[in-house]
Amino acid sequence: METFELLAKGFAVALQEQNILACLIGVIGGVIIGALPGLGPSTGVAVLLPLTFGRDPTMAIIMLAGIYYGAMFGGAISSILINTPGDSASVMTCMDGNPLAQQGRAGAALGMSTLASFTGGTISVIIFTFLAPKLAEAVLWFGPPEYFALMVMGLSTVSGLTGKSPFKGMASMLVGLALSTVGVDLVTGKPRFCFGRPELFSGIEFITVALGLFGIAELVNLAAGESGQLKRTEVKLSFRNMLPNKEDWGHSWPHILRGTFLGFLIGMLPGAGATIASFISYSMAKQRSKRAELFGKGAIEGVAAPESANNAASVGAFVPLLALGVPGSATTAVLLGALMMFNLRPGPLIFQQAPEFVWGLIASMYVGNVMLVALMLLFIAAFVRVLDIPVHLLVASVFVLILAGSFSLNVGLFEVGITVAFGAIGYVMKRLEYPPAPLVLALVLGHMLENSFRQSLIMSRGDMSIFFTRPLSLILLAVAVAAVVIPAIRNYQRASASRST
Amino acid sequence: MKRGTQISAVVLLLLAIYIMVTSIKKLGYKLNGLPGPGYAPFWIAVFLVIFALGILWEAKGLSGSSIFTPRALKMLAILTAAGVATIVLSLFLGLLTSLALIAGALIWLLGGSWKQAVITIIAVGICFNLLFQRLLMVTFPKGPLGF
């Protein structure tokens, strides 16, 4: 009952004029960013974050969250119409979405992806509404050792499971941790790795790094593509031809529901996220479908299953972010950084300390999902036009927006320099298959990790066994080790097998 | 891919060694029996050495294919140079003018027409002035013309 009251208060916040506007801007921005190949939600949130400086925190986070789940909706547009996923979470939508477009059923594919996304998103928000506060209550008794172990687990799973090589993921994470140590040490007041630059005394802002790694690096990638203009399937889209028929619904609804629950669960796990959720959901749909032979050739349920899963996963990712204060993906890492910039500390206490913000955000997700389904069904033709923007225009305008955003952070050119440098580093990392998400996640969590570590050792008077004698801390650290060791062993076995053949 | 990965692993090893040496010699590993400012960086560097060696070992099985196409290298150089040029130009022309000029130059360099470049210069100038300077109240460094 209490949850309903809090949710009602949340709706009172979410339905304020300024918050409705923020949500609308966020979801429209998200759909556009999601639709543009190469610009995923993490890039979108990082690039648009500077535009929220000085605004009301609730309004700002509602907008940024809108970009996140809006991008999940938008990703399907380019997958279906140009066979190029807007971001990795939409890869599986290409499999059947584009063949459907080739058969003249682009409207049905886009409509089904919209309705599946809406169903996945909305059911997930309902689960989130009841689950997140309970989880936050359950972890209220966590002490510094448990928090330290939880953060280590979050970082290890993201590093171990993201990318092809767990070694590269871990190295990326450790570089992020090393970067987080730059600045004046809060305990002793001693500058660390500042090279005499006063700009570095307060540390490296995560957003300057994220703008480079996710923003500029993706722009280089986009500009490096051979095509100057995206080639899309010509379609006539209207409200009527976007509504799936009875037969389409009959084939799709079980897969939408399964994808929703699967996506939500996977989204909550650090490192797994929307991409893996959509892959698994698609594979399960194919296995269980009565017409598996149609998959890859234009099965409508091949669009519904991954789309419901990736949207559900994007909502699921908010559970560990808000309830535990530990993000599990690149986008939620950027969102955590944004929350901290607004002096909001996610974690179990946020439900008590900032209920208006938390419940306002949750309520805005219901509002945002309704906005998205209405916008997509009514204005899809306008969103599709985004694909007609020439690449050079897109690259140039987003590039200067990134630089201006980086400057706005501390009103300094030094930050712009850091962003440009990390843009180049990020592109090289991308080509060498070093995942950037662990680096950003570690940079955001680094301070908290070090503080928990030091507090734990103060509690135990310097005795490291405190991390291994408390049961939950031990379990979390064991999971952290397993998250790195198991993928490494698998890689080794795969390499040995390929060498022997 | 193989050589690129090997070089990156060596760079990580060098970085780790630098962090370890600085942590011990300059920052201080322990303080009154508890972790000092160099404690966390030291252990981060130790783990970085381990994983960098892992990357070196893994690189043995990689192919020798190139990771950069000539076009990718060109784009990387163009965008990096554009970023550096923005910083340098803003010292003389102000940030708003520099951003507008760089946007126009990028359009032209990436294959757009000079008309698109000119329109972009004007549009960026006006839109960024409204968005950043008027709406977000960010003060950009000004040039000799006062904007």
Side-chain angles (χ1 to χ4, degrees):
Chain A
M1 206 58 204
E2 193 197 9
T3 307
F4 287 109
E5 280 170 27
L6 291 164
L7 187 61
K9 284 181 186 166
F11 270 106
V13 174
L15 294 175
Q16 284 170 11
E17 240 171 63
Q18 57 164 11
N19 292 335
I20 290 180
L21 186 66
C23 191
L24 187 65
I25 294 171
V27 296
I28 292 175
V31 173
I32 292 170
I33 286 162
L36 291 167
L39 298 182
S42 47
T43 309
V45 174
V47 170
L48 297 179
L49 174 57
L51 302 185
T52 63
F53 295 162
R55 308 278 116 182
D56 171 58
T58 308
M59 182 186 143
I61 301 298
I62 283 176
M63 190 186 103
L64 296 174
I67 293 170
Y68 186 17
Y69 53 81
M72 292 294 155
F73 271 73
I77 296 176
S78 51
S79 294
I80 292 167
L81 296 183
I82 57 172
N83 202 23
T84 307
D87 64 283
S88 59
S90 308
V91 169
M92 297 318 285
T93 311
C94 293
M95 304 290 283
D96 288 277
N98 192 252
L100 279 167
Q102 302 290 346
Q103 293 159 22
R105 299 202 66 214
L110 284 165
M112 180 53 81
S113 86
T114 301
L115 295 168
S117 298
F118 172 72
T119 312
T122 306
I123 293 176
S124 303
V125 181
I126 295 170
I127 304 171
F128 175 51
T129 305
F130 294 94
L131 184 71
K134 297 285 171 225
L135 187 63
E137 266 175 40
V139 299
L140 263 177
W141 61 274
F142 269 32
E146 284 78 18
Y147 261 112
F148 172 78
L150 182 69
M151 281 186 268
V152 170
M153 188 199 77
L155 287 171
S156 298
T157 44
V158 170
S159 312
L161 300 176
T162 321
K164 290 179 184 167
S165 155
F167 293 129
K168 287 181 178 173
M170 288 300 286
S172 176
M173 184 267 282
L174 288 162
V175 170
L177 281 181
L179 288 171
S180 76
T181 64
V182 173
V184 173
D185 178 40
L186 290 178
V187 178
T188 59
K190 201 169 190 174
R192 299 189 290 190
F193 309 108
C194 291
F195 307 100
R197 301 282 316 201
E199 297 94 335
L200 288 174
F201 284 175
S202 57
I204 296 176
E205 287 284 352
F206 91 97
I207 186 69
T208 53
V209 175
L211 280 169
L213 289 182
F214 294 128
I216 294 181
E218 289 300 342
L219 290 182
V220 177
N221 205 37
L222 193 60
E226 292 305 319
S227 173
Q229 179 80 45
L230 305 164
K231 299 275 185 293
R232 71 174 165 92
T233 312
E234 283 299 330
V235 283
K236 275 190 179 168
L237 293 166
S238 65
F239 178 73
R240 190 170 287 178
N241 73 16
M242 276 187 70
L243 291 179
N245 58 33
K246 252 187 186 174
E247 198 187 338
D248 290 340
W249 272 116
H251 287 305
S252 301
W253 74 263
H255 303 291
I256 292 175
L257 290 180
R258 194 186 307 109
T260 299
F261 291 106
L262 195 76
F264 186 80
L265 284 175
I266 294 173
M268 286 200 301
L269 303 175
T275 308
I276 294 178
S278 64
F279 269 83
I280 295 177
S281 179
Y282 182 86
S283 310
M284 282 184 80
K286 192 175 173 181
Q287 277 171 10
R288 289 170 182 252
S289 174
K290 286 172 191 160
R291 41 182 214 162
E293 71 287 351
L294 256 186
F295 273 70
K297 294 172 190 156
I300 194 83
E301 59 269 41
V303 173
E307 281 301 310
S308 60
N310 67 28
N311 275 272
S314 72
V315 177
F318 277 91
V319 177
L321 172 70
L322 287 181
L324 308 176
V326 178
S329 67
T331 315
T332 46
V334 180
L335 281 170
L336 174 65
L339 286 165
M340 285 158 72
M341 269 174 43
F342 288 111
N343 288 325
L344 290 163
R345 179 60 64 89
L349 290 175
I350 200 169
F351 283 86
Q352 294 164 12
Q353 288 170 347
E356 281 205 350
F357 161 74
V358 175
W359 290 100
L361 176 64
I362 294 172
S364 79
M365 291 181 180
Y366 288 95
V367 178
N369 268 299
V370 175
M371 278 180 184
L372 276 165
V373 78
L375 285 168
M376 288 287 283
L377 291 177
L378 296 173
F379 303 110
I380 187 70
F383 286 121
V384 166
R385 302 284 295 177
V386 167
L387 298 175
D388 297 337
I389 299 174
V391 169
H392 56 263
L393 205 64
L394 187 69
V395 171
S397 49
V398 177
F399 182 75
V400 288
L401 182 64
I402 288 171
L403 297 191
S406 176
F407 176 86
S408 311
L409 189 69
N410 277 343
V411 192
L413 288 170
F414 187 78
E415 280 73 17
V416 181
I418 290 183
T419 298
V420 173
F422 273 96
I425 292 170
Y427 184 67
V428 175
M429 281 174 69
K430 196 178 177 69
R431 301 304 305 163
L432 289 171
E433 295 173 348
Y434 283 87
L439 193 156
V440 174
L441 191 57
L443 184 56
V444 173
L445 289 180
H447 286 290
M448 288 193 280
L449 187 76
E450 195 179 354
N451 282 346
S452 308
F453 179 72
R454 281 178 160 180
Q455 284 168 356
S456 305
L457 288 186
I458 290 168
M459 276 169 67
S460 69
R461 296 182 188 178
D463 185 2
M464 288 282 223
S465 67
I466 189 168
F467 298 111
F468 309 106
T469 49
R470 294 167 71 119
L472 189 63
S473 167
L474 179 66
I475 292 169
L476 292 169
L477 288 174
V479 174
V481 173
V484 181
V485 172
I486 293 172
I489 291 172
R490 269 199 209 133
N491 270 15
Y492 174 74
Q493 286 172 336
R494 218 175 291 145
S496 304
S498 67
R499 253 178 246 148
S500 60
T501 54
Chain B
M1 185 74 177
K2 186 176 183 173
R3 183 168 305 171
T5 302
Q6 285 169 335
I7 292 170
S8 69
V10 172
V11 170
L12 289 173
L13 275 174
L14 293 174
L15 175 72
I17 291 165
Y18 167 76
I19 295 172
M20 283 162 101
V21 172
T22 311
S23 302
I24 299 281
K25 287 200 168 175
K26 288 189 181 167
L27 299 176
Y29 180 73
K30 282 216 165 184
L31 199 75
N32 304 325
L34 289 171
Y39 191 92
F42 176 81
W43 283 103
I44 290 168
V46 169
F47 284 111
L48 192 53
V49 168
I50 295 168
F51 287 106
L53 290 173
I55 293 167
L56 266 180
W57 169 78
E58 218 175 37
K60 284 193 295 186
L62 293 174
S63 69
S65 60
S66 170
I67 54 164
F68 296 113
T69 61
R71 184 176 166 84
L73 271 180
K74 187 181 157 190
M75 292 304 149
L76 179 61
I78 286 176
L79 288 186
T80 308
V84 176
T86 308
I87 298 170
V88 176
L89 273 179
S90 64
L91 299 173
F92 303 99
L93 301 175
L95 188 60
L96 188 63
T97 316
S98 309
L99 287 171
L101 290 176
I102 290 295
L106 276 179
I107 295 267
W108 185 72
L109 284 168
L110 298 177
S113 67
W114 66 267
K115 271 186 193 170
Q116 283 176 330
V118 172
I119 293 169
T120 305
I121 290 172
I122 297 166
V124 167
I126 295 170
C127 295
F128 278 34
N129 179 38
L130 289 175
L131 182 64
F132 285 96
Q133 307 213 111
R134 303 282 165 94
L135 188 67
L136 299 174
M137 305 286 184
V138 178
T139 314
F140 282 168
K142 293 192 178 358
L145 299 174
F147 54 87

